[in-house]
Amino acid sequence: MSQKKAAKPAPKKAAKPAAKPAAKAAPKATSKNQSLMTENRLFKPDAAFAKKARVSSMAQYKKMYDESIKHPDKFFGREAKELLWSKPFTKVLDWKCPNAKWFVGGKLNVSENCLDRHLDGPRKSKAAIIWEGEPGEKRVITYQQLHRDVCRFANVLKRHKVKKGDRVIIYMPMVPEAAIAMLACTRIGAMHSVIFGGFSAESIKDRVQDSGASLIITADGGYRRGAVVPLKKNVDDALKGGDTPVKTVIVFKRTGQDIHIEEGRDVWWHRELEYVDAKCPAVAMDAESPLFILYTSGSTGKPKGILHTTGGYLLHAQMTCKYVFDLRDDDVYWCTADIGWVTGHTYMVYGPLALGATSLMFEGAPNWPENDRFWKIIEEYAVTVFYTAPTAIRAFMKWGDEWLKKHDLSSLRLLGTVGEPINPASMSASSMISARKSARMNRASSSSRSPGHPCCAASGVTKIATRRPTGPTLKAGISQATEPAVTKTATSGSSAVSTTCSTSPDIASAPPKWKALSYPILPSPRPPSSVAQMR
């Protein structure tokens, strides 16, 4: 018996989705959520500050910006004429991507720009460096005195056969002699490589071998939180075995503890000065001549040496100090960075001194012997521009506001931070200090690969934001889209060797492992800086 197939049931019509209930208003964020999740605050420059600043309006800023982008030769050529040139440059920029040569044909000397040109006027007797040691010693060194000290030590270097193009390692505590050693190297055309005083003997050994340095400048020791750092012993350990290019070690007496002196190699700083005078003409250097080597910390692999050249670097240092810090003749400026980092190079030594400013140097830690050591120094020396790191600001927050309230900080007119992106809470803490002390905040970005600020704010006009960073982190203001074009590398064993080379005659004649890179100008009024990378 046949059976009929059951008819398929008619498909049901999809029910219309029920109307969504009206969204509830988002709950009011707590102060913590506002700080960490929805940061939108902007800190505007004070009108009175902006009025007196070198860049006093956004219209002026945009005009400078437009000129730097559309007519970089005109913009940077005009700025470069503020430097002292022994031979004028004939061309501002020779740019053949990825290689750049700045101020072609020009010759100058960094030491001469930081010292000699200030001796013909009132800056001759002005304080160049104010120094305070951790135990409490104090020194004030005028531009005339600093010039004399640099010339004498430059003659000490020449006495030990150091010449143009040689490499010199500087491994010292935060004392004026560290800056004197740097400037003395630049005066005779030698390249210095400063090593942070907290690094080990192995770090010294690696950098000596890689750079081929023939001379080390160090100290018997340095002070840190009441203890003595054995700098000379670390150098001795680094040079054990005899397989080293180092022929001479010059030792500055700082702490006075007993140290080993190796006959025929080690000499005392103060005794060497007895054999020289204070006459040392500055050597004219090509604008693209090597100036100094600074190694990365090595935290992500083998330390990489960055070779900075002369003309572009010095202009970068001077311009950023002028426009970012708004430095003036009557300022007392304090950059708390260690001289072993690029921030210490650019913003404690070369930038401020090129402008003829007064730079403060402190040997110790911010919490020794108590948590208000920085505030005591600011009050005592009437510091007007204070430049530190977000790490330090977070420490100040942890220690509490009572330490700050004990001191008169009314001299401060500008606070600056640099390093990793500043978190909103730290920026807010800075803003509270600024508001109470009528100071302006500023923010800059930097890295061990850049000579100074690749990305920064003009202190008189730029609004500072506290927004949290989102998306991929950029490398200190250097565009990720730009960087691969200038940092092409080929693997060779365990080392990455750059395949781009500078056509600078000084670098071209260097050992084959030295490879040069030049960073392009970013789309901002950023000064030029040529750099080179060693293997």
Side-chain angles (χ1 to χ4, degrees), residues 497-515:
V497 183
S498 165
T499 60
T500 57
C501 297
S502 168
T503 54
S504 166
D506 288 301
I507 297 178
S509 61
K513 68 176 182 177
W514 292 28
K515 306 299 181 181

Side-chain angles (χ1 to χ4, degrees), residues 153-163 166-172 181 185 188 190-195 204 207-208 211-218 235 239 244-251 265-267 269 272:
F153 193 70
N155 284 333
V156 169
L157 294 178
K158 290 197 293 185
R159 186 171 181 268
H160 288 278
K161 311 302 181 185
V162 177
K163 60 185 183 302
D166 287 349
R167 279 78 67 199
V168 174
I169 295 290
I170 300 174
Y171 180 64
M172 298 190 74
C185 289
I188 63 174
M191 288 175 272
H192 62 69
S193 183
V194 182
I195 301 176
I204 301 170
R207 288 157 175 78
V208 165
S211 66
S214 60
L215 186 143
I216 295 179
I217 305 166
T218 189
V235 171
L239 300 182
T244 174
V246 173
K247 306 300 181 186
T248 305
V249 177
I250 300 177
V251 186
R265 186 195 72 184
D266 300 347
V267 295
W269 177 301
E272 289 300 300

Side-chain angles (χ1 to χ4, degrees), residues 1 32 34 36-37 50 77 92 127 151 167 169 188 208 257 259-260 270 298 306 316 319 369 378 383 413 420 487 510:
M1 188 176 193
K32 183 177 179 181
Q34 288 174 342
L36 299 180
M37 299 293 292
V92 173
C151 287
R167 279 78 67 199
I169 295 290
I188 63 174
V208 165
Q257 82 268 26
I259 60 171
H260 169 70
H270 61 277
I306 311 299
H316 183 109
M319 283 184 66
I378 290 172
V383 173
R413 70 178 188 89
E420 75 276 11
T487 318

Side-chain angles (χ1 to χ4, degrees), residues 9 25 59 90 136 210 244 282 298 381 414 524:
T90 56
D210 196 75
T244 174
Y381 299 105
L414 180 66
S524 63

Side-chain angles (χ1 to χ4, degrees), residues 70-89:
K70 297 175 183 177
H71 307 288
D73 284 10
K74 181 179 178 181
F75 179 81
F76 290 116
R78 182 177 62 249
E79 292 287 341
K81 287 180 181 177
E82 294 185 9
L83 299 176
L84 179 64
W85 296 85
S86 54
K87 180 183 177 184
F89 51 89

Side-chain angles (χ1 to χ4, degrees), residues 42-46 440 462-464:
L42 291 174
F43 295 86
K44 300 178 182 179
D46 178 75
R440 158 67 171 154
T462 312
K463 299 175 182 178
I464 308 298

